[in-house]
Amino acid sequence: MLREIRIRGLGVIDDATVPLGPGLNVLTGETGAGKTMVVSALGLLLGERADSGRVRAQAGSASVEGFVDVAADHPAARRAAEAGGDVDEGLILARTVAEAGRSRAYVGGRSAPVSVLADLGHLLVAVHGQSDQWRLQRPEQHRVVLDAFGGEAVTAPRERYADLLQQWQAARRELADLVTEQRNRAQRLAMLTAALEEIEKVDPQPGEDDRLREEAERLGHVDTLQEAARSALVAMSGDEDQVDPQQTSVVELVAGARAALGPVTDLDPALGQLSARLTELGILVNELSGDLASYLAGLDSDPARLAEINDRRARITGLLRTYGDSIDEVLTWSRSAAAESADLAGTDDRIEQLQARVEELAPQVGQAAADLTAARTAAAQELGRRVTDELAHLAMGSAQVSVDVRQHEGEEGLTLPDGRVVTAHGHGVDDVEILLAAGPGVTPRTVAKAASGGELSRVMLALEVVTASGDVPTFVFDEVDAGVGGAAALDVGARLHALAQHAQVVVVTHLAQVAAYADQHLVVRKQDDGQVTASGVVVVDGSDREAELARMLGGQSDSKTARQHARELVAATAQQPATPRKGRRRRASAS
C-alpha cells in the first residue's frame, strides 16, 4: 500500500507530506486548499501525462515522491526490479516536471521511462475521479470487469475456448496457405518431376564426365598416338621391317652393356653392382616395350565409339548447364529435388487432414464460445443486480445497471450451436457493455455516456465494492460523493468503508458524513498566503477531528452544537457494519 506521498511545487502546494495508512484514508479541507492536487500528484507519480502548467509559479519544477510498501513477489515489485529499481526495503517512486515541460521518472532509485510508472500504476492503484473513470470509459474494460466478477465460472470456459480457438485458427491458417499456394506448388512439382525424369533418363554416374573426356581425347587423336607409340616401340626394341641396319634399339644397347661388364664383375664388387642394375634396366626395358606393344595393339580407330561418346557428353553437358557445374553437383541437386517433390506430393494429403481437422474443431470452438457466453450472461445478471442494489444506497435509488452480453452476427466467422455465425475474438464472441438507466422508463445507455461525473464515480464505487478481490491494493476516489448529502452520504461512506476492509482506500471528500468513516483523517490546510507548506497536511484525531467535521457540517469549528453533531456522527458511523446492508454477497475469490 501507499505509505507516504511528498509533493513540492505543484499547484497551491509548496511542500507537503501526505502520510497514508491502511483502511480508509480521507482527505478534507476548505475549497481551494489543494485536496484534488494531491490526487493530481498521485497521477503524476503513476505515469500520467505531465502538465507543466501545474508547476507552481516561480518554483521552477514540481516533484512528487511516493513510498509504496509492497511484497517482493507482487507483480509491481517484479516490474520495478525488471526496470533496475531497488525494492529490497519497499518501492520508492519519483517524478519531476520542469516548468519548461521536461519530465523525469525514477523507480527504486533508478531513472526509468515514464511508461514504467504507468505499468506500476495499473498494478498498484485504481484512480477514480471526475475525469478519470478509465475502466468505464474503455469498452474493453467492461468485459474485464465482468470476467473478474465471474471468477472461475467464467475463467474455466474462457481458457477452454481460447485453447480450442488457437488450434482452430492455426489449422485454418495453414489450410488457407496451402490452398492459396496450391497452383504454385503444382507448377513447382511439375518442374521438379520433369527435371528428375530428365536426369534419370541420362543417368549420369559420379566422375563419368572426366572419364568420357579422356576417352574422347584418345579416340580423337588415335593416328597421332599410334605413330608416337610405334616410334617409341621401335626405339625400345627395334623393328623387323627396319630399313636402317645401323639403328640400334635400347634393348640391344642394354644387352651390349651387360655383355661388356659380365666377364669382369668378379674383379670389382662396385662394377658388379653396376652390372646388376643393368640387368634390372634390361627387365624394365623389356616390360616397357611389352606395354607399348599392348597399348599400340589396343589403339584402334573407332569412329562409332567416338560418336557415341560425343553424344553422351552432349547430354551430360545439357544437365550441367541447368543443374550444376559437375555431375556430383547434379546428383546432389537431384537428391534435394526428390525430397522436395515428396513433400509437395504429400501436400494434398495434408490439405485433406487439415480440412478434417478444421471441420472437427469448428463445432467444438462454437460450443466452447456458447458455454463462455452462458457463463458471462449468468455473471452479468448477478453483477447488474448487485451493482443496482449498491446504487440504491448511493443516492441513485432509481438507477438500474445492466450488463449487456451480445454477439456480432455476420456471413463469415464462427458458427454457434444455434446456427448463428458470429465474429470470434481471442477473448470470446461477446461484446460486453455495462449500461445505466438513470430512472424508470429511461433507455439504458453505456455507463460512460449515461452518467454524469459524480454518478460515474458512484457507479465505479459500487463496482469496486461488489467486485473487490484484492488484485489492486489501493483505490483512490476524487469527489465520489458529488451531488449527494444527508443519509445518502452516510451510505457512500459506508460503501467506502466496506471496500477499505479489503484494500487501502484514499478519498477526497467535502462531506462530513463520508469523512466520519475514516480510519485516518487528513486535513489539507493552506497558509494565509495561499500556500500549502510542509505542515499543511496533518492527521487529525480526537478534538481536532471533531473540529474539522464540525466545519464540514457547515458550522463553526468551535461551535458546541456543531461539535456535538460531529461526535454523534462519529459514534453513529462507528456502529455501522463494515459490510453493506441488504444481504450483499461476495464472490469466493474475494478476500
Side-chain angles (χ1 to χ4, degrees), residues 43 51 67 77 124 162 172 232 320 354 421 463 474 476 487 505 518 532:
D51 181 2
F67 178 75
L124 292 171
R172 292 182 70 197
L320 297 180
L354 287 170
V421 180
L463 281 168
T474 300
V476 178
V505 179
V532 177

Side-chain angles (χ1 to χ4, degrees), residues 134-485:
W134 65 273
R135 283 194 175 187
L136 296 183
Q137 290 174 341
R138 298 179 183 178
E140 70 276 7
Q141 286 298 319
H142 293 205
R143 174 183 52 78
V144 173
V145 169
L146 175 62
D147 286 1
F149 174 78
E152 184 62 22
V154 172
T155 300
R158 187 181 65 219
E159 290 177 349
R160 171 170 169 74
Y161 163 83
D163 178 60
L164 289 170
L165 179 70
Q166 189 276 329
Q167 296 180 49
W168 182 58
Q169 289 179 333
R172 292 182 70 197
R173 283 193 299 269
E174 185 178 355
L175 177 61
D177 291 342
L178 290 177
V179 171
T180 300
E181 294 297 321
Q182 197 166 27
R183 176 177 295 179
N184 292 338
R185 285 195 309 276
Q187 293 174 349
R188 176 69 175 170
L189 180 59
M191 185 276 289
L192 292 174
T193 301
L196 289 171
E197 289 175 351
E198 179 185 2
I199 295 172
E200 184 178 4
K201 187 174 181 181
V202 175
D203 191 23
Q205 300 300 311
E208 184 182 5
D209 48 349
D210 294 332
R211 294 194 299 273
L212 290 175
R213 184 177 63 255
E214 293 173 0
E215 189 175 358
E217 286 287 332
R218 185 168 62 253
L219 291 175
H221 300 85
V222 65
D223 294 337
T224 302
L225 295 173
Q226 285 177 338
E227 183 179 352
R230 186 179 294 109
S231 298
L233 181 59
V234 169
M236 293 292 294
S237 58
D239 189 353
E240 295 179 356
D241 299 329
Q242 185 175 342
V243 179
D244 185 0
Q246 301 297 323
Q247 183 175 355
T248 304
S249 67
V250 174
V251 173
E252 293 174 336
L253 292 173
V254 172
R258 290 175 57 203
L261 295 179
V264 297
T265 54
D266 293 338
L267 300 179
D268 188 349
L271 198 59
Q273 292 177 359
L274 294 175
S275 177
R277 292 172 62 186
L278 279 172
T279 299
E280 294 175 0
L281 181 59
I283 295 172
L284 291 173
V285 169
N286 284 325
E287 290 177 351
L288 182 56
S289 296
D291 291 341
L292 281 171
S294 297
Y295 174 80
L296 189 58
L299 196 62
D300 295 330
S301 177
D302 190 349
R305 173 59 181 164
L306 181 59
E308 179 185 345
I309 289 173
N310 287 335
D311 177 65
R312 178 71 176 169
R313 291 184 70 195
R315 295 172 67 189
I316 290 176
T317 299
L319 296 181
L320 297 180
R321 280 197 298 265
T322 306
Y323 307 112
D325 294 332
S326 67
I327 288 180
D328 288 343
E329 291 186 10
V330 172
L331 294 175
T332 298
W333 185 90
S334 175
R335 288 190 292 271
S336 175
E340 184 180 353
S341 296
D343 289 340
L344 291 174
T347 300
D348 290 340
D349 293 338
R350 180 59 178 163
I351 288 177
E352 293 180 2
Q353 294 173 0
L354 287 170
Q355 287 174 334
R357 181 62 172 160
V358 169
E359 292 174 2
E360 175 189 3
L361 285 171
Q364 296 181 36
V365 179
Q367 184 62 56
D371 293 343
L372 176 56
T373 297
R376 280 181 172 149
T377 300
Q381 293 173 351
E382 177 68 5
L383 179 61
R385 183 189 67 78
R386 288 171 60 179
V387 172
T388 298
D389 182 63
E390 286 295 324
L391 290 179
H393 300 285
L394 297 174
M396 295 178 68
S398 59
Q400 291 286 327
V401 169
S402 59
V403 183
D404 184 30
V405 180
R406 61 182 179 274
Q407 302 80 41
H408 288 295
E409 297 187 32
E411 296 181 358
E412 296 183 1
L414 179 65
T415 302
L416 299 179
D418 61 7
R420 289 183 299 144
V421 180
V422 298
T423 303
H425 303 285
H427 53 73
V429 298
D430 309 313
D431 287 334
V432 177
E433 191 170 27
I434 299 175
L435 305 176
L436 174 68
V442 178
T443 302
R445 299 172 58 204
T446 180
V447 66
K449 295 181 179 179
S452 64
E455 290 173 335
L456 200 59
S457 292
R458 277 172 275 166
V459 171
M460 195 69 244
L461 172 58
L463 281 168
E464 295 296 354
V465 171
V466 168
T467 64
S469 64
D471 293 336
V472 178
T474 300
F475 294 91
V476 178
F477 293 93
D478 183 17
E479 301 292 346
V480 70
D481 49 15
V484 299

Side-chain angles (χ1 to χ4, degrees), residues 520-548:
Q520 177 169 274
H521 189 159
L522 297 98
V523 179
V524 182
R525 295 170 179 163
K526 61 182 179 180
Q527 307 300 317
D528 294 338
D529 58 2
Q531 298 184 27
V532 177
T533 62
S535 61
V537 180
V538 295
V539 178
V540 294
D541 201 356
S543 61
D544 290 336
R545 187 182 183 204
E546 288 180 4
E548 174 64 11

